[in-house]
């Protein structure tokens, strides 16, 4: 699977030793970028006329027509002759839109306690989903379980739409270019070639990324960050991490290590961390810590985040207070990150924020108290765009980000007879 590089990674220019870029490679790169720009504009504005695509992208009308024709042939766009538009002069404009009928994407999110699998359309909408607890945290066991789950989802979905590929999101340190989970202490994983193993089992292209970057991609493509210049995303679950993007481009850092905030110090916390120290952010605010405390206090019958969230939504004061306390701690860390990055929008994925207003208010209050840059916290600090489907979206968004950046990279897959589906292996 060495051909499946991360879409933001520049290809090596084989055969050149003088530092110059082969013209054919450059032309191919421009063509791929232009096709991606056309597809992305249609995602943001469709249904849309080709002339408007040309105006927005700056591409020539002939180029837009060529790319639209190719993307339609690949089943990524569709014409809408029933919505012909005319300005009263010249030929009428037949708008195009994203074709959600021919293809789908599989998403996998591997959490500490369970794996979530899903099928999504090309607009990131969840079509089917399943969550199963880990029988074991051995990578081979989790991969096999995920493949079985995806196969069952596809069969139950009626086999409609051909799967283009699989996106996988998980915590820890993930190198998307290599497709390897470099280190995930809570799962006990080190140097796990996740992309290779899933590709071998399914025959599908696989893209892998960390879950905060995955959700950042989802927000940029389908959520509230689709039209902002810069966005900070913070993920708070059993794992805590962050991601940052400018003009839709996520910052990966050296060896894709950007966003590692798990061990930021939390003043006053004595919670032991897996790193051997006490008072690290992840240890202080993780779901494991939160639900353990709730269970010890008798708020919930078992240490499960779903039970605690249900209790808070039902008005249980002790449950609400636990989420408020966590929001205050998270808010202090978010304020620091906002000072460092200066984003236009900050999105915090913490499960209570869309449902418990006082938790969101506590988060914003903590940020206001600690942030030093001038910003409108109430308007720029928001919860996730995907309440109820966060994990499903995270997995699917990893692949969809690659697709919208370079749709032509998948043309061979789409044109291949191997794209026929066998539910025993999802695709063979």
């Amino acid at each position: 699977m060495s051909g499946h590089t991360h879409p933001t990674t520049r290809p090596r220019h084989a055969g050149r030793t003088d530092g110059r870029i082969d013209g054919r490679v450059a032309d191919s790169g421009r063509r791929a970028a232009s096709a991606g720009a056309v597809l992305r504009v249609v995602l943001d504005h469709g249904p849309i006329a080709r002339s408007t695509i040309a105006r927005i992208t700056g591409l020539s009308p002939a180029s837009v027509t060529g790319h639209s024709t190719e993307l339609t042939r690949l089943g990524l766009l569709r014409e809408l002759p029933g919505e012909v538009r005319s300005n009263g002069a010249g030929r009428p404009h037949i708008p195009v839109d994203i074709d959600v009928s021919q293809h789908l994407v599989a998403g996998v999110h591997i959490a500490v306690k369970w794996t979530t699998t899903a099928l999504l359309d090309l607009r990131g909408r969840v079509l089917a989903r399943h969550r199963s607890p880990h029988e074991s945290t051995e990578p081979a066991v989790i991969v096999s379980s995920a493949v079985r789950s995806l196969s069952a989802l596809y069969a139950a979905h009626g086999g409609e739409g051909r799967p283009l590929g699989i996106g996988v999101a998980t915590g820890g340190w993930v190198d998307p270019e290599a497709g390897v989970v470099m280190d995930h202490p809570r799962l006990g994983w080190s140097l796990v070639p996740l992309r290779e193993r899933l590709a071998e089992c399914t025959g599908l292209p696989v893209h892998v990324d960390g879950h905060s970057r995955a959700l950042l991609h989802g927000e940029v493509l389908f959520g509230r960050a689709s039209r902002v210049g810069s966005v900070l995303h913070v993920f708070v679950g059993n794992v805590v991490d962050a991601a940052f993007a400018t003009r839709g481009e996520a910052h990966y850092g050296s060896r894709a290590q950007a966003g590692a905030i798990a061990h930021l110090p939390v003043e006053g916390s004595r919670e032991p961390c897996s790193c051997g120290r006490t008072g690290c952010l992840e240890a202080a605010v993780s779901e494991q810590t939160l639900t353990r405390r709730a269970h010890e206090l008798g708020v919930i019958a078992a240490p499960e985040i779903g039970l605690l969230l249900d209790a808070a939504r039902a008005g249980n004061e002790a449950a609400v207070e636990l989420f408020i306390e966590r929001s205050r701690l998270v808010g202090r860390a978010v304020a620091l990150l906002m000072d460092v990055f200066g984003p236009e929008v900050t999105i915090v994925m913490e499960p209570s924020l869309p449902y418990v207003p006082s938790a969101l208010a506590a988060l914003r209050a903590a940020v206001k108290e600690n942030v030093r840059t001038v910003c409108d916290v109430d308007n720029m600090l928001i919860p996730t765009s995907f309440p109820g489907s966060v994990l499903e979206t995270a997995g699917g968004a990893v692949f969809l980000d690659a697709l919208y950046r370079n749709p032509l990279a998948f043309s061979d897959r789409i044109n291949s007879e191997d794209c026929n589906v066998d539910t025993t292996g999802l695709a063979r």
Side-chain angles (χ1 to χ4, degrees):
M1 298 302 293
S2 59
H4 299 298
T5 58
H6 189 271
T8 60
T9 301
R10 294 180 179 179
R12 297 182 182 272
H13 306 297
R16 303 296 304 203
T17 59
D18 55 5
R20 291 178 291 165
I21 298 175
D22 188 287
R24 290 168 297 179
V25 173
D27 289 343
S28 174
R30 283 194 293 268
R31 181 169 175 267
S34 296
V38 169
L39 192 63
R40 177 61 193 276
V41 166
V42 178
L43 174 68
D44 288 344
H45 302 281
I48 185 173
R50 293 176 179 84
S51 58
T52 308
I53 297 174
R55 178 175 55 80
I56 294 174
T57 61
L59 297 170
S60 70
S63 178
V64 169
T65 296
H67 288 307
S68 297
T69 300
E70 175 70 1
L71 294 171
T72 300
R73 185 184 67 80
L74 294 174
L76 303 177
L77 293 183
R78 61 183 179 128
E79 291 188 338
L80 302 175
E83 298 185 23
V84 173
R85 302 170 184 177
S86 175
N87 58 11
R91 298 173 60 185
H93 302 288
I94 300 177
V96 294
D97 201 358
I98 301 296
D99 191 339
V100 296
S101 66
Q102 297 195 49
H103 304 293
L104 51 79
V105 167
V108 177
H109 182 278
I110 302 172
V112 173
K113 295 182 178 181
W114 55 73
T115 294
T116 302
T117 52
L119 301 177
L120 299 88
D121 69 18
L122 298 192
R123 283 194 169 273
R125 295 174 295 208
V126 177
L127 307 174
R129 71 188 82 194
H130 181 259
R131 190 179 83 174
S132 56
H134 297 323
E135 301 171 5
S136 162
T137 57
E138 283 296 317
V141 175
I142 289 179
V143 167
S144 296
S145 175
V147 172
R148 289 195 302 271
S149 178
L150 287 174
S151 298
L153 282 178
Y154 188 80
H157 186 60
E160 297 178 3
R162 300 196 303 176
L164 286 178
I166 303 173
V168 187
T170 190
W173 172 18
V174 181
D175 184 343
E177 182 177 354
V180 172
V181 179
M182 305 295 289
D183 186 42
H184 195 320
R186 288 183 176 268
L187 283 177
W189 286 9
S190 178
L191 300 177
V192 175
L194 195 55
R195 179 178 65 198
E196 180 182 325
R197 293 190 178 191
L198 266 171
E200 287 177 352
C201 290
T202 64
L204 287 168
V206 178
H207 287 259
V208 183
D209 210 340
H211 50 201
S212 193
R213 281 195 300 260
L215 284 167
L216 178 68
H217 294 320
E219 295 284 356
V220 169
L221 287 172
F222 314 112
R224 301 182 188 182
S226 62
R227 300 183 188 181
V228 299
S230 59
V231 57
L232 169 68
H233 187 279
V234 179
F235 182 96
V236 183
N238 269 317
V239 173
V240 179
D241 56 15
F244 179 71
T246 55
R247 298 184 179 181
E249 296 283 346
H251 175 65
Y252 282 79
S254 174
R255 301 188 68 190
Q257 296 179 88
I261 63 171
H263 302 288
L264 288 179
V266 176
E267 184 179 351
S269 173
R270 303 304 302 166
E271 194 69 36
C273 180
S274 60
C275 72
R277 294 179 293 183
T278 59
C280 294
L281 178 63
E282 184 173 284
V285 305
S286 73
E287 288 180 0
Q288 182 178 0
T289 300
L290 184 70
T291 56
R292 188 198 71 230
R293 291 185 59 204
H295 184 234
E296 290 172 350
L297 292 170
V299 179
I300 49 179
E304 297 178 8
I305 191 65
L307 294 178
L308 186 59
L309 184 58
D310 288 344
R313 295 180 69 178
N316 183 299
E317 292 184 4
V320 170
E321 186 56 39
L322 284 168
F323 280 117
I324 288 174
E325 182 181 340
R326 175 157 84 158
S327 288
R328 291 180 180 134
L329 294 178
V330 171
R332 285 155 54 183
V334 169
L336 173 64
L337 295 173
M338 288 171 62
D339 283 341
V340 171
F341 291 104
E344 292 180 28
V345 171
T346 297
I347 300 173
V348 178
M349 201 316 292
E350 193 280 343
S352 73
L353 298 182
Y355 307 109
V356 183
S358 53
L360 179 57
L363 176 71
R364 288 172 170 161
V367 171
K368 289 176 185 178
E369 183 178 345
N370 291 277
V371 73
R372 294 295 175 261
T373 51
V374 178
C375 53
D376 183 357
V377 173
D378 288 334
N379 287 316
M380 67 176 293
L381 178 58
I382 57 178
T384 180
S385 300
F386 314 108
S389 60
V390 168
L391 305 184
E392 297 87 345
T393 301
V398 175
F399 188 87
L400 288 165
D401 172 69
L403 176 68
Y404 277 97
R405 289 183 185 280
N406 184 5
L408 302 185
F410 302 96
S411 59
D412 289 344
R413 170 69 195 170
I414 293 172
N415 293 328
S416 172
E417 292 297 323
D418 289 339
C419 206
N420 294 323
V421 175
D422 175 358
T423 56
T424 61
L426 193 65
R428 280 293 182 192

